[in-house]
Amino acid sequence: GSGTWGGTLATSGAQGTGNLTGASTFTISCQNSNGTVVTDSVTVNVSNLSPTVDLKADDSNGPVTVPYGTASMLSWSSANTSFCSGSRSGSSGTWGGTLSTSGAQGTGNLTSSNTFTISCQSPSGVVVTDSVTVNVASTPAPAVNLSADSTTHTGVYNEMLGWSSTNADSCTASG
């Protein structure tokens, strides 16, 4: 057997076995004042439950696509596991290392596509993995439009210039 069963016991009662990880046979022997001994045994079968893990990006099994320079939220859950660790394939982002058996964590801002992988191990040593891919949309090209009220004047004139841009972080003027 395994667990904590054993030693001198009362003539009747109940006692836990402790955590069992496989089939265990437990035996008890009792004796009366005449020296007659009786013995009984019971075998307890324990099924090792298969470990599972599920990793999602933004609540999806993926692949998902995020804008350049933004993060994705990774969430995971596992069953019948004792610890997990994470890794990523790309160079951007911050996710990885030792992880809890369930949780959620941001990737950090991504500038390249990544495949995120989680590996979890059961108490009996079985390892399961799951992965999700987060693609990063390419940085859109900036565009700018500059206009003048009129491009032809006579004499000194204070012209009003206007501009608009898309996908730009800053603008610089010259002339």
Side-chain angles (χ1 to χ4, degrees):
S2 65
T4 60
W5 174 261
T8 302
L9 300 174
T11 56
S12 64
Q15 180 178 328
T17 63
N19 293 335
L20 303 176
T21 58
S24 297
T25 300
F26 300 94
T27 303
I28 190 166
S29 298
C30 295
Q31 181 177 332
N32 67 12
S33 59
N34 292 333
T36 305
V37 176
V38 292
T39 301
D40 196 12
S41 296
V42 64
T43 298
V44 178
N45 292 304
V46 176
S47 298
N48 286 328
L49 300 173
S50 297
T52 61
V53 65
D54 185 30
L55 176 63
K56 295 183 181 301
D58 300 326
D59 295 322
S60 169
N61 286 323
V64 298
T65 301
V66 297
Y68 182 91
T70 64
S72 177
M73 180 59 72
L74 301 177
S75 59
W76 65 97
S77 61
S78 68
N80 308 311
T81 61
S82 53
F83 66 89
C84 299
S85 63
S87 62
R88 66 181 185 277
S89 66
S91 59
S92 67
T94 59
W95 192 75
T98 301
L99 301 169
S100 61
T101 56
S102 65
Q105 185 178 340
T107 60
N109 292 341
L110 301 174
T111 57
S112 62
S113 296
N114 281 261
T115 297
F116 297 91
T117 301
I118 188 168
S119 298
C120 297
Q121 185 171 324
S122 73
S124 63
V126 177
V127 176
V128 291
T129 63
D130 194 19
S131 296
V132 65
T133 298
V134 178
N135 293 313
V136 175
S138 60
T139 305
V144 65
N145 182 27
L146 177 62
S147 62
D149 287 338
S150 174
T151 56
T152 306
H153 297 286
T154 303
V156 176
Y157 189 82
N158 184 7
E159 181 65 38
M160 183 62 68
L161 302 177
W163 68 95
S164 65
S165 68
T166 57
N167 303 317
D169 295 323
S170 64
C171 296
T172 303
S174 63

